Structure formats: C-alpha cells, structure tokens
Amino acid sequence: MAARLVVLVSGTGTNLQALLDACADPGYGVRVVAVGADRDGILGLERARGAGIPTFVVRSSEHTDRAAWDRALAEAVAAYAPDIVVLAGFMKIIGTDLLERFPNRIVNTHPALLPSFPGAHAVRDTLAYGVKVTGVTIHLVDAGVDSGPVVAQAAVPVHADDEEELLHERIKAVEHRLLVDTVGTMAREGYSVQGRTVRLGAGAVAGGDAPAARRGGAVR
Ligand code: GRF
C-alpha cells in the first residue's frame, strides 16, 4: 500500500508539484492525501486543488496563541493519518503538538547545506557569506530551526554572478529531484534514526530510538 503523505506549504509549491508528479507513477509508492497551508491565496494550494487533493488552511491569526495554532495544525494533519509529513516551503516553525504526534516522521527541505545557513533567508545568507558551494538538505524536523537529523544532501555550485533568485532557481531544480528521491526511498524502503544518524533503505541498521515510516517500507 502506498505511504500516505501530508504536505504543508506556504508559497509557490514547486516542491509539492514535484511530489505530485512523482505520485502519478504507482511504482513511486507514495500518495499525497492532503495539502495544508498557513495562509490562503497561494499557488501551492491551487496546485493541490488542481490535482483534486483535499486542502486545509490553519491561519495563526485565527488562534489565540502559538500553542493553540500548533494544536489546530496537528489536528488538521492527523485527520489524514499520514505516514510522513513533508514541509515543502512551509514558512512557520512547528510546535510540540505536531512534533510529538509524528516523531521523526516530519521531513523538511532546506535550500542550503545545513548546518550552514539555517533560517528563512538561506539563499541570501549564502551569497552574503561568499561560499562557493551550497545545496539542498532534506532533514527530519525537531524542535529547533532547521536543526534535525540530516536525511540527504546535494551540492550546487555558486556562480560568481549569482543573484538570490537565480541561485534559488538552480537550487530548486536539484531540490525537486532530491526531495522526490528521498521521500520515495523513505516510504518504500523504510529508514532508521539513531541519534543524529538517519539510515535509508534495506541497508539500515536495526533498532533506533524512534519509529520510522511504517506503511510500504521496512520498520527498523
Ligand atoms: C524551497 O527552496 C524550500 O527549500 C524553501 O522554500 C522554497 C519553497 O519553494 N524553504 P516552493 O514553494 O516549493 O516552490
């Protein structure tokens, strides 16, 4: 049975689109069961609706405080019983409710090689620092900002004449492939987490200190 994915977005949703395109192949082993957002009027939600996928919006402005918003978000996500939750350009820090419901099952994609350049302006910060190589990190989400265990990374060269948008576009081309490959492997073959070490697929060491993907993949 295909792994159930809930994807959370805040923006244009090109990473979501890459996942949706991959899911068109039954062999991919993943089904996007819902797309959630923290705001309306974004292309990410339109992409989901266009694909006939249920959507939900949980706005922080409609909740008394952050904890209440986090509880509401956790409820909305849990209603779709996901095996994996993907933050694909979701621009809010998630709280303990969601984290505790899906320990080591929330995946974020970040446009830099963590632990370098965490935060909301990774590409801008990368250019400002003057590094020559950057990239993409797919990681499990913990209570910090872009600080959870790394699942996969890929490098992207920085060009001398790069501007933020140009570099981000090149990063995204790599990001789409890496996200699709990584989530697919996690779903189909399982993964293990021991401390900060994530092992993907059949070669994973048994044991681990937290549950991994269940449906469609090995539990280790
Ligand atoms: C991605 O590069 C993601 O890593 C970052 O924001 C971007 C979102 O792009 N956090 P999109 O909405 O998937 O097009």
Side-chain angles (χ1 to χ4, degrees):
M1 199 196 302
R4 297 172 65 85
L5 219 68
V6 167
V7 183
L8 299 182
V9 295
S10 298
T12 55
T14 60
N15 282 285
L16 165 67
Q17 189 66 55
L19 288 167
L20 292 175
D21 292 348
C23 289
D25 174 1
Y28 183 55
V30 174
R31 189 155 72 91
V32 177
V33 291
V35 173
D38 60 327
R39 63 198 78 183
D40 222 327
I42 55 171
L43 192 52
L45 285 175
E46 269 177 50
R47 290 177 195 274
R49 288 173 190 140
I53 291 172
T55 61
F56 59 88
V57 179
V58 184
R59 297 174 194 79
S60 52
S61 58
E62 289 173 1
H63 297 276
T64 46
D65 56 23
R66 231 190 141 81
W69 172 77
D70 183 51
R71 263 196 307 282
L73 182 65
E75 286 295 329
V77 170
Y80 291 96
D83 297 299
I84 300 175
V85 180
V86 177
L87 310 185
F90 190 64
M91 297 310 284
K92 284 237 172 23
I93 312 273
I94 60 165
T96 45
D97 264 82
L98 193 54
L99 283 170
E100 280 170 10
R101 278 198 198 222
F102 301 100
N104 282 345
R105 288 198 284 145
I106 306 176
V107 175
N108 183 45
T109 176
H110 183 76
L113 292 175
L114 293 169
S116 293
F117 311 116
H121 305 293
V123 181
R124 193 182 308 167
D125 296 345
T126 297
L127 286 171
Y129 199 91
V131 295
K132 306 303 183 206
V133 177
T134 184
V136 179
T137 303
I138 312 293
H139 67 94
L140 300 177
V141 176
D142 66 8
V145 177
D146 300 323
S147 57
V150 171
V151 184
Q153 290 184 305
V156 174
V158 180
H159 298 164
D161 55 353
D162 262 339
E163 286 169 11
E164 186 176 352
E165 202 175 324
L166 196 65
L167 177 56
H168 202 163
E169 282 310 310
R170 278 208 325 286
I171 290 173
K172 278 193 183 189
V174 173
E175 185 175 31
H176 297 159
R177 285 195 299 273
L178 189 68
L179 181 64
V180 164
D181 287 354
T182 306
V183 168
T185 303
M186 291 170 81
R188 290 188 306 273
E189 298 176 29
Y191 58 101
S192 71
V193 186
Q194 282 179 309
R196 289 202 58 87
T197 304
V198 181
R199 288 188 176 84
L200 285 175
V205 173
D209 51 15
R214 270 164 237 294
R215 219 173 300 213
V219 184
R220 291 169 195 284

